[in-house]
Amino acid sequence: MNEAPLRLLWPDFIYELADLIRAAPNPPPVYIVGGAARDAYLGREIGDIDIAVDGDAIALARRVTDAWGADIYIMDRERGVARVFLSRGGHKFSVDFANLRGPTLEADLRDRDFSMNAMAADLLRDPGRLIDPIGAAADLKMKILRRCSLRSIANDPVRALRAVRLSVQFDLKIEPDTAQDIRQSAGELRHTSPERIRDEFFKLLSLEKAARGLRVLGHMRLLDQILPGIAIDSASLSTDSVDIDSYAVVERMSAIMSAISSRRSDNTAATFGLGMLVIQLDRFRSALGAHIEQECVNGRRRAALLALAALLHKARVTGSDRGDAQAAAAKAAASLRLAKVEGRILCAAVGSFRQITERQTWSRLDAHRFWHELGAGGIDAILLAMAGAMGQGSKLNQQDWLKLVELATNLLDVYFNRFDEVVKPKPLLDGVAVQELFEIGPGPQIGRLLTALREAQVTGLVQSVEQAREFILRSAAGDSAQHSTASRLQVCRTEASSTKR
């Protein structure tokens, strides 16, 4: 008995799109291809859509744009590729229209990367019927990721990185011949676009099981190409246990971010470490969730940067004698062509998280200085410190963990609930007022005095404008044991005069 043909379920706007195109005179054959067809087969939510047109794809994209009042971007006029940005049914998504890559639909599909992406549906004739010329459905049923052709990965080495990401995202095993092609193409990654590598790498870092993908990248020597010149751990590069520790920190970072996000489930906090963290930090859950979901640049989220920071938390630049993770983070940011703001976030997290674990006691002034220096980046440092502690696995001491969670709770309480009081109190005197007090112009002395005044406000030593004036005068007088008040003011005036000249 023959099996019934596979049927695909589509949201309503797909059928609306089909009706719109059918209404055109002599519409060309139009197919939904790739990930959208795959997700429809798997019953997953449909995201962005790829459409292959056996005709003029750009003309068809313009028709849809005009009919639905959408925006269009011509990506490749010569190859007939255009992206249409649609908003239907309360959802925003993009539809890429492209001419067929070959003379037929089957040739187009066979030219794609992996079988799971070589599925299609005839939009105008029968969008519910799956077109599957190379057995993608069978591969997905057996949980296998397989290349479409012998040259699939060699033709585009970035597909090697994509293979690892897709295997993690869809819980697939990489077929042996495909895995061999990935290993053989590893060295070619360095000759491809750094931006494409970055975008694919960040898709992997954004996955909940990013650590699993990073382990595979390391095993297949792809990570050396993605982050050239960086040793992942400076403690002992000769043992596999060091690499596992670095990946474990990424794993715990992902677990922590899940625990403080809206994705949290009953099983998320099943361990002692996560359970105590959830109990203590639940009051900040909304604010922390918004922080890690923040988009930094072009859809790249802070959560992915935190996963990368976890990977690099003990890294060093290859060949350097000292383990400087911050230098390695800066090199990684440059290699991946990260935006400046992303580089700052990454380097600040990697360079500052040890403050959380190494400082034995924290005063009110210590907390102020921590947040004043790092701002929102202090949250990243706290999360990375906790991920690093949890990454120790069986070595995690419960008492030490409770102290760390308590410290994190106190610091976050300062930032979220006492910001105006401890982090950034309203200055009682500004720079202009201090300059007028000494009848001098701007200069480094003014900055030092204002810093001292701000910290005196934080500790409660200064609480009024009059006290602020007295404090500034005393601070200026005692700024140097070698100068009297009068001589020190003369130095200030000399600095100001030099500045003016």
Side-chain angles (χ1 to χ4, degrees), residues 205-323:
L205 291 171
S206 298
L207 298 178
E208 192 169 340
K209 296 181 179 179
R212 174 181 156 190
L214 291 170
R215 286 191 177 97
V216 177
L217 291 178
H219 178 70
M220 291 187 165
R221 303 301 180 190
L222 293 172
L223 201 55
D224 295 338
Q225 308 300 323
I226 298 167
L227 300 173
I230 296 175
I232 296 302
D233 196 302
S234 61
S236 175
L237 298 172
S238 62
T239 62
D240 291 336
S241 62
V242 172
D243 289 334
I244 291 173
D245 179 67
S246 296
Y247 300 137
V249 175
V250 179
E251 188 173 25
R252 302 323 294 168
M253 176 64 83
S254 296
I256 289 171
M257 289 192 289
S258 293
I260 60 178
S261 74
S262 59
R263 303 190 306 274
R264 190 174 77 200
S265 65
D266 293 339
N267 295 325
T268 302
T271 65
F272 167 80
L274 285 175
M276 294 306 302
L277 184 146
V278 165
I279 291 173
Q280 293 299 317
L281 301 190
D282 200 57
R283 72 194 79 171
F284 311 118
R285 183 179 175 187
S286 177
L288 290 173
H291 176 80
I292 63 177
E293 292 298 325
Q294 175 193 5
E295 179 180 332
C296 296
V297 179
N298 295 334
R300 298 193 292 276
R301 297 180 303 129
R302 202 168 192 127
L305 282 172
L306 284 170
L308 181 56
L311 179 67
L312 299 172
H313 78 292
K314 289 184 178 180
R316 65 176 172 84
V317 176
T318 303
S320 61
D321 296 330
R322 299 174 58 189

Side-chain angles (χ1 to χ4, degrees), residues 323-446:
D324 188 344
Q326 197 166 19
K331 184 174 180 61
S335 297
L336 293 169
R337 303 293 195 273
L338 297 185
K340 289 183 179 180
V341 63
E342 294 173 303
R344 287 195 295 269
I345 290 172
L346 180 65
C347 291
V350 171
S352 60
F353 77 95
R354 287 183 178 83
Q355 295 183 46
I356 308 299
T357 53
E358 293 178 357
R359 185 185 293 276
Q360 297 300 313
T361 59
W362 284 76
S363 66
R364 181 185 177 97
L365 183 58
D366 292 330
H368 163 76
R369 287 173 174 171
F370 174 79
W371 290 114
H372 185 77
E373 175 190 357
L374 296 174
I379 301 174
D380 304 328
I382 291 170
L383 295 178
L384 185 53
M386 292 193 294
M390 290 188 72
Q392 298 174 10
S394 60
K395 296 180 181 179
L396 178 65
N397 180 286
Q398 291 191 1
Q399 288 301 117
D400 290 343
W401 176 248
L402 289 174
K403 290 179 181 178
L404 181 58
V405 172
E406 181 181 12
L407 171 59
T409 303
N410 292 338
L411 285 174
L412 291 171
D413 178 68
V414 166
Y415 186 74
F416 290 122
N417 297 330
R418 295 189 288 158
F419 188 91
D420 294 337
E421 173 189 353
V422 179
V423 180
K424 194 175 181 180
K426 183 178 180 181
L428 293 171
L429 294 177
D430 59 18
V432 173
V434 174
Q435 291 174 51
E436 291 176 350
L437 191 62
F438 293 117
E439 298 181 352
I440 61 175
Q445 173 74 355
I446 299 298

Side-chain angles (χ1 to χ4, degrees), residues 24-75:
N26 301 317
V30 179
Y31 307 95
I32 300 177
V33 296
R38 175 200 67 216
D39 291 343
Y41 165 72
L42 293 174
R44 298 164 65 101
E45 182 179 355
I46 306 299
D48 296 333
I49 299 166
D50 290 323
I51 289 183
V53 181
D54 190 4
D56 190 339
I58 292 180
L60 186 62
R62 291 191 186 281
R63 176 175 176 81
V64 173
T65 300
D66 294 341
W68 282 353
D71 295 319
I72 187 172
Y73 172 63
I74 307 301
M75 301 172 66

Side-chain angles (χ1 to χ4, degrees), residues 126-154:
D126 187 359
R129 183 176 70 86
L130 177 67
I131 301 173
D132 182 15
I134 63 175
D139 284 348
L140 287 172
K141 187 175 182 180
M142 293 186 293
K143 309 292 286 183
I144 290 175
L145 185 134
R146 178 167 55 89
R147 52 170 166 56
C148 284
S149 72
L150 297 176
R151 298 290 301 170
S152 289
I153 297 174

Side-chain angles (χ1 to χ4, degrees), residues 101 106 116 145 164 168 227 230 333 361 377 383 390 457 499:
R101 301 181 183 183
E106 182 171 339
M116 64 184 297
L145 185 134
V164 176
V168 173
L227 300 173
I230 296 175
T361 59
L383 295 178
M390 290 188 72
Q457 286 185 233
T499 300

